[in-house]
Amino acid sequence: MTIHHASAGLSAKSDPGVWFDTAAEDAATLGPLLERVAGPPFSAILLYPNNAEQIDQTAPGRLRRVLQVDSVADLANAAETARLSASGQPSWIVASRSAEVLEEASAHQFERCLRAEVANAGELRDAIALGRRYPWLLLQLKDVTNIPLELAIATLQGTSTRLVRIISDPLDVDGAVLSLGVMETGPDCLMFSPRTTGALDAFLERLESLRLDKLPLSTGTVLRTSPVGMGHRSCVDLVTIFDKNEGMLVGSTSHGGLLCCPEVFPMPYMDLRPFRVNAGAVHSYVYGPGGRTNYLSELRAGTPAMVVGIDGTTRTSRVGRVKTEIRPLRLIEVGFKEDVVLNLFLQDDWHVRIYSDRGQPICLSDLKAGDRILGHLGKAGRHVGLRIDETIVEL
């Protein structure tokens, strides 16, 4: 089974653009917030005829200007505002609910965006059908369900129309972030406009936790492997399905971890558990997003967890369950060229596997000195799971 996780994280190339709505605000009120949204993921600001000129003079130049125009009469003024814009951008976007306004906007060299409010299936069909005529569709959905958004994404897939989903509640950080994962790809953009620094901070932190990063992996050589008797070991079940080139980093010390395989490879007498990693002894560190680690014994349902590919690509999931039982354990010691030795205690059984340097699973009972396996080297020193610069010796 091959699972593609298109929306599990956000890479630099796939970062969603976020539009910021300036409705009912002036430059003085928005000033501090506009400074905060000057950088990614924010990419555009929605302006109105009564505030466009003023806010344009103070808003960061990198933000695309989108101007809400509701009548043909306002288009000439809009064109003049765009011509005199301090942003230096040659093309503004005109957003409107009116097809007549959008047809006229093309004569003024505006890029066009249909704005639509959807409260039922018929309105959704009409909005999508009309929106396909323009480069942008700005969609506001009345109902809480994501089904209309799923239908819009699926229908517009493969077209040149880019979909922007409006999050009306400026405090709905959860709704904004969850929208990014709908149908795996999410909409092309969101319009989310926090009016407090707390909501803005929470939104940016949540996006950062989803970002696809690359974690440097190194190749180490197995120095020894030996049984050590009984101990408590934990299986970690995530709320996701692992691919055959993914696993979790687990280690006994803050120096780093080894890339453990999930149960996605055939096992005699047992069905696959493609959501599970048999992660080792309870004292072990498991890597999570944001450079944080947790002891296996600390993990609970809902704890953020990091899935790591054999190429170092990461994505974030959540713990669904941790199952701890007494099992025979085996100690593995692995040396790296940086003169670092990592160790890991795993359940001493054939079906427990670890990734080789070629990204192939090695059964623990077959692992021997001289085998080459994948791991990650970190700097020593952690306090409550966070990196800290201090003198520390871990053996």
Side-chain angles (χ1 to χ4, degrees):
M1 172 171 44
T2 298
I3 306 295
H4 299 288
H5 304 279
S7 67
L10 305 173
S11 68
K13 290 185 178 180
S14 65
D15 279 352
V18 181
W19 294 11
F20 187 91
D21 189 358
T22 67
E25 305 287 358
D26 57 25
T29 304
L30 283 177
L33 282 173
L34 287 179
E35 291 178 7
R36 295 289 310 282
V37 304
F42 289 91
S43 59
I45 48 174
L46 183 67
L47 305 173
Y48 296 83
N50 65 337
N51 70 9
E53 185 175 352
Q54 183 189 33
I55 292 179
D56 174 61
Q57 301 298 315
T58 58
R62 65 166 296 277
L63 295 175
R64 189 88 183 267
R65 271 56 170 170
V66 184
L67 186 59
Q68 179 72 38
V69 180
D70 293 317
S71 70
V72 173
D74 286 334
L75 273 176
N77 291 334
E80 182 64 10
T81 300
R83 186 181 70 82
L84 299 174
S85 171
S87 71
Q89 297 175 0
S91 176
W92 283 31
I93 300 172
V94 160
S96 183
R97 300 173 180 87
S98 166
E100 181 185 7
V101 168
L102 294 178
E103 293 306 310
E104 185 69 21
S106 63
H108 294 277
Q109 284 77 52
F110 284 114
E111 199 167 322
R112 296 172 295 167
C113 173
L114 176 68
R115 181 168 185 169
E117 287 78 31
V118 168
N120 55 57
E123 291 179 355
L124 178 64
R125 286 193 298 270
D126 292 344
I128 293 173
L130 184 56
R132 292 178 67 150
R133 298 167 51 183
Y134 307 109
W136 298 91
L137 173 59
L138 182 60
L139 204 58
Q140 184 167 343
L141 304 173
K142 177 184 177 182
D143 296 318
V144 175
T145 174
N146 278 319
I147 291 176
L149 180 58
E150 293 174 2
L151 293 171
I153 291 171
T155 306
L156 294 172
Q157 206 166 49
T159 73
S160 60
T161 299
R162 286 165 285 182
L163 178 64
V164 187
R165 196 264 174 92
I166 298 175
I167 304 297
S168 301
D169 183 350
L171 298 176
D172 189 11
V173 173
D174 286 339
V177 173
L178 290 175
S179 291
L180 298 174
V182 172
M183 295 292 285
E184 294 196 356
T185 61
D188 297 284
C189 295
L190 291 176
M191 188 162 78
F192 182 51
S193 313
R195 288 301 195 262
T196 67
T197 56
L200 179 57
D201 288 341
F203 177 61
L204 294 175
E205 288 171 6
R206 289 281 297 279
L207 284 189
E208 184 62 29
S209 73
L210 293 174
R211 185 174 300 279
L212 279 174
D213 287 323
K214 278 224 170 183
L215 199 65
L217 295 182
S218 301
T219 297
T221 301
V222 175
L223 302 178
R224 73 181 178 108
T225 168
S226 59
V228 293
M230 306 298 285
H232 286 83
R233 73 92 177 93
S234 294
C235 289
V236 181
D237 296 346
L238 299 186
V239 296
T240 191
I241 293 178
F242 287 89
D243 208 340
K244 289 185 177 180
N245 59 5
E246 295 179 318
M248 296 181 73
L249 284 170
V250 189
S252 291
T253 69
S254 59
H255 288 88
L258 306 177
L259 190 57
C260 296
C261 296
E263 295 186 7
V264 295
F265 301 101
M267 294 181 288
Y269 311 109
M270 295 177 63
D271 292 329
L272 297 183
R273 304 287 191 271
F275 48 80
R276 173 174 295 171
V277 171
N278 194 324
V282 288
H283 73 280
S284 308
Y285 282 124
V286 62
Y287 278 69
R292 191 182 184 101
T293 59
N294 289 97
Y295 294 118
L296 287 175
S297 60
E298 293 176 330
L299 297 180
R300 298 291 183 270
T303 302
M306 186 169 65
V307 177
V308 182
I310 58 175
D311 62 352
T313 300
T314 69
R315 61 185 177 95
T316 299
S317 183
R318 295 274 172 169
V319 173
R321 173 180 54 216
V322 179
K323 188 175 72 164
T324 301
E325 298 160 311
I326 297 176
R327 292 291 186 267
L329 299 179
R330 177 172 287 268
L331 170 63
I332 304 167
E333 289 186 342
V334 183
F336 290 81
K337 63 181 181 181
E338 292 85 350
D339 294 326
V340 173
V341 176
L342 302 182
N343 73 70
L344 180 60
F345 292 81
L346 290 172
Q347 181 180 341
D348 193 1
D349 202 316
W350 178 88
H351 77 277
V352 179
R353 298 172 169 107
I354 197 162
Y355 278 113
S356 76
D357 61 334
R358 297 178 179 273
Q360 298 299 311
I362 303 178
C363 299
L364 199 62
S365 57
D366 296 333
L367 191 69
K368 60 186 182 303
D371 285 343
R372 308 269 285 168
I373 63 175
L374 290 176
H376 166 71
L377 298 181
K379 292 183 178 179
R382 286 185 179 271
H383 180 64
V384 294
L386 298 174
R387 269 280 304 120
I388 184 172
D389 292 323
E390 64 175 352
T391 301
I392 182 170
V393 177
E394 293 177 286
L395 300 174

